[in-house]
Amino acid sequence: MSDTNKNSIKIPMWVHILLIAIIVGVLAFSGFKLWRWNQGTAKTEGVTGESYEIEVLDQIFLLSEDKKAGHEVDDTETILFLGNDALTYDTSENGVVSQVQSKLENSNCLNAGFPASTVAMKNAAYTDDYALDAFSFYNVARCIYDEDFDQLIEKATLFEDSMYDKSAELLENLDFNTVDTLVIFYNAQDYLNLRVGMNPDNDSDPVTFSGALNAGIKLIQEKYPFIRIVCMSFPMCYAYDSSGQLVSGDRYDFGNGKLTTYLQFMIDVSGATGVSFVDNYYGTIDEDNSSTWLLDNIHVNAECNAYMADHFVRVIYQ
């Protein structure tokens, strides 16, 4: 027998079996985690939003000291909320803006929401036949940058809801040098109104959800670098498909992606622009507790507003 054969070591069969079992186990676990992520719904215990299974996707950024230079500092934390029905559907003490103020001492919370508006524009250029575009996040950010709110004031007269007038006048009369934090909080209207998610050739395209969010944030950052910006995500909602059936936004794709696709766009834009992201999606509403926290397919009740306000205060002002 040769020396090579004498010195060779035979690996036992059980070692081969064990290695194969480990590889199969790792692949199975990875596949399960990927499947769980694609489901888009986090399980919660009751309506507390607390569960060991939930991975809440908050990401928090602080402003650098050089960006704060020249800002008027006082004893009041002035928080400006921009958004849509997420802010305006309930403007009482049970609304999310009032709930934040009640939970945060020495704060002045300002509600500049425009009902039914979206982050993205419907049309690439504003047209009179769709006046709601004037109140999209991108156009509101443009007005803030230009310090010109005439368009908002003018178009507000076309709507019966007084919130359009109130919010437009608030922005026109607001001294933005006193604003400490700006919160962007829209519900899922972009998803429900079939706004395109993104334009791969233009990351600032205002007719796309991610492009309008990106462009609007950058306008405000350039104009007022000392204002800390926070994106609050929409919670889960339901939608009506082409046959009129109520379907979960977690699973239904109108052609631009499921609701979780828009969530990922907001996370990506927040990270790219260095603004904080507060996750109202995972750990808040799911299909099991939706009847407890939703008033209809999209609007939330007072208890849900309280939970989201508490979550916001905890992660931003901890």
Side-chain angles (χ1 to χ4, degrees):
M1 183 178 292
S2 67
D3 291 340
T4 302
N5 289 336
K6 287 180 181 179
N7 295 330
S8 63
I9 300 175
K10 184 176 181 180
I11 301 175
M13 181 60 69
W14 67 267
V15 174
H16 292 284
I17 296 173
L18 178 61
L19 288 174
I20 293 172
I22 291 174
I23 293 171
V24 171
V26 170
L27 291 174
F29 179 75
S30 299
F32 173 74
K33 294 294 285 184
L34 180 61
W35 174 84
R36 283 288 303 277
W37 171 261
N38 286 332
Q39 296 312 297
T41 298
K43 298 292 290 181
T44 62
E45 302 296 334
V47 294
T48 64
E50 301 294 337
S51 169
Y52 292 111
E53 297 183 25
I54 296 167
E55 182 182 359
V56 179
L57 304 178
D58 299 328
Q59 56 184 27
I60 308 304
F61 293 94
L62 299 177
L63 284 179
S64 59
E65 291 302 319
D66 61 307
K67 290 185 178 180
K68 297 179 183 179
H71 179 42
E72 298 179 9
V73 180
D74 54 32
D75 295 329
T76 301
E77 173 71 7
T78 299
I79 309 172
L80 173 63
F81 287 81
L82 297 180
N84 58 7
D85 307 60
L87 306 175
T88 64
Y89 194 76
D90 187 350
T91 57
S92 72
E93 62 183 12
N94 295 320
V96 68
V97 176
S98 297
Q99 295 266 14
V100 169
Q101 179 148 332
S102 69
K103 297 173 185 295
L104 188 63
E105 294 184 3
N106 301 320
S107 66
N108 179 27
C109 296
L110 307 173
N111 187 341
F114 296 100
S117 62
T118 53
V119 173
M121 298 175 63
K122 180 179 180 180
N123 303 305
Y126 175 78
T127 58
D128 287 335
D129 62 341
Y130 192 75
L132 200 57
D133 261 353
F135 305 101
S136 67
F137 170 69
Y138 173 76
N139 264 335
V140 171
R142 170 60 66 182
C143 290
I144 293 173
Y145 180 85
D146 293 335
E147 298 183 61
D148 183 356
F149 301 95
D150 289 347
Q151 184 185 65
L152 299 183
I153 298 295
E154 176 188 350
K155 300 308 177 186
T157 61
L158 301 176
F159 298 87
E160 293 183 3
D161 194 325
S162 63
M163 276 303 302
Y164 291 94
D165 299 286
K166 291 178 181 178
S167 295
E169 291 171 4
L170 186 155
L171 293 174
E172 183 181 43
N173 297 321
L174 179 62
D175 180 0
F176 279 84
N177 292 308
T178 65
V179 176
D180 300 291
T181 301
L182 185 149
V183 180
I184 303 165
F185 187 22
Y186 288 76
N187 63 14
Q189 293 291 352
D190 284 83
Y191 163 74
L192 296 174
N193 285 279
L194 313 187
R195 298 292 185 266
V196 176
M198 67 171 295
N199 178 351
D201 298 320
N202 181 2
D203 66 1
S204 297
D205 189 341
V207 298
T208 68
F209 178 76
S210 61
L213 186 62
N214 180 55
I217 287 173
K218 287 181 176 178
L219 284 172
I220 296 170
Q221 286 178 324
E222 181 180 345
K223 185 72 173 184
Y224 301 104
F226 53 80
I227 295 179
R228 184 184 185 187
I229 300 177
V230 178
C231 283
M232 286 183 69
S233 82
F234 41 75
M236 175 262 188
C237 78
Y238 289 90
Y240 291 94
D241 64 15
S242 57
S243 65
Q245 292 292 319
L246 197 63
V247 292
S248 169
D250 281 346
R251 297 193 298 271
Y252 193 77
D253 184 348
F254 285 107
N256 297 315
K258 296 181 289 187
L259 190 54
T260 47
T261 307
Y262 289 76
L263 178 72
Q264 189 60 54
F265 287 140
M266 178 171 277
I267 294 172
D268 292 343
V269 170
S270 296
T273 54
V275 308
S276 295
F277 172 79
V278 176
D279 180 12
N280 288 319
Y281 198 92
Y282 292 108
T284 305
I285 298 173
D286 63 41
E287 290 187 56
D288 290 335
N289 67 24
S290 59
S291 62
T292 304
W293 274 8
L294 282 175
L295 295 171
D296 49 30
N297 66 307
I298 188 171
H299 300 106
V300 304
N301 62 19
E303 289 74 20
C304 189
N305 280 329
Y307 174 77
M308 293 190 295
D310 181 70
H311 181 197
F312 168 78
V313 172
R314 281 190 290 109
V315 299
I316 298 300
Y317 296 100
Q318 60 185 337

